[in-house]
Amino acid sequence: MLVLVAPGQGAQTPGFLTPWLDLPGAADRIAAWSDAIGLDLAHYGTQADADAIRDTAVAQPLLVAAGLLSAAALGDITPGAVAGHSVGEITAAAYAGVLTDDEALGLVRTRGLAMADAAAVTETGMAALLGGDPEVTVPHLEKLGLTPANVNGAGQIVAAGTLEQLAALAEDKPEGVRKVVALKVAGAFHTEHMAPAVTRLQEAAAGLTVADPRLTYVSNRDGKTVTTGADVISRLVGQVANPVRWDLCMETFQELGVTALIEVCPGGTLTGLAKRALKGVQTLAVKTPDDLDAARALVAEHS
């Protein structure tokens, strides 16, 4: 059974969209999406530097556009389940037919702008903790005033909070944690700091035309499968200010009988977690069009 997953913010790197624009029709699709949302995706995906694409209002639409473009390049496939990490849930929702691609890009543009505005209120950020026991790590983070914003499984938790709180964490790591790594994001996402963005997303979501998912859709709020479009959208909106439970998503993949996992562009983060947590499951990260043939072969073997 094949699972298709989409990465979240922080997966972007300068120039990562460049090779994809050589695919037939890709440049036209990116241009149309750019016009629709008022953001030059081609420029940011090919020419902008790391600081420019770290901007939440830029990174989020760029990631969804790249994810949809690369998923479409795989051809007409039917994975056993789809899921996304953080903003990748919008990619997954579009792939599952809950939203059209155009609606997904419009929604993620609103999401990125709203979260950027919320992040501007207080200087905040996120950091990944490598290693450690969640039963020890989570209380330690809470003691420092931090939120376990991403519980990713495979020995990784991402903490979020103010820069002062993150600095205190760097000086006082939980027992068993090997390393604290600052993430390429511009705010404390999936925490109470993002509450103002939820209201704006609710307003934007009210104008969407939503369909029920045509594929098994796994929500990163709690790892549950979601069967109605209305529930998918409700979770997408609320998830902005609540922790991502990717560990529970991977548990659900196992319960569904996953044998292979493909991560759409810019792949790497989620396949890395799967290699450690989903033993025996074949994984493939789609980074450039050169990876498409191997991905299609994996699809043929596991669909």
Side-chain angles (χ1 to χ4, degrees), residues 8-216:
Q9 199 167 338
Q12 72 279 0
T13 56
F16 79 97
L17 195 61
T18 300
W20 294 97
L21 297 185
D22 291 331
L23 295 181
D28 290 340
R29 291 187 74 189
I30 290 294
W33 288 337
S34 296
D35 289 343
I37 67 174
L39 183 71
D40 190 344
L41 295 166
H43 164 74
Y44 284 108
T46 63
Q47 300 176 33
D49 62 18
D51 285 340
I53 62 174
R54 182 173 175 266
D55 181 347
T56 304
V58 171
Q60 293 191 12
L62 192 57
L63 287 165
V64 171
L68 292 175
L69 203 65
S70 57
L74 287 172
D76 187 15
I77 68 171
T78 305
V82 296
H85 189 287
S86 189
V87 72
E89 281 209 305
I90 295 182
T91 310
Y95 193 81
V98 176
L99 301 170
T100 66
D101 289 355
D102 290 346
E103 286 176 324
L105 266 296
L107 182 63
V108 75
R109 178 60 165 155
T110 299
R111 185 185 194 270
L113 289 167
M115 291 176 71
D117 287 347
V121 174
T122 305
E123 289 191 332
T124 58
M126 304 177 78
L129 285 72
L130 307 182
D133 182 343
E135 292 187 3
V136 175
T137 297
V138 170
H140 188 91
L141 295 179
E142 292 172 347
K143 180 187 73 174
L144 296 175
L146 290 158
T147 299
N150 300 166
V151 183
N152 287 330
Q156 186 188 101
I157 290 178
V158 174
T162 67
L163 297 187
E164 291 81 2
Q165 290 166 341
L166 291 170
L169 172 65
E171 296 295 323
D172 181 19
K173 296 192 295 289
E175 181 181 353
V177 170
R178 301 188 306 277
K179 194 173 183 181
V180 177
V181 182
L183 298 186
K184 296 179 289 185
V185 297
F189 306 144
H190 308 294
T191 72
E192 61 183 9
H193 293 283
M194 292 294 110
V198 173
T199 301
R200 286 173 61 180
L201 269 183
Q202 287 173 330
E203 294 169 354
L208 296 173
T209 301
V210 177
D212 293 338
R214 61 180 178 82
L215 302 167
T216 300

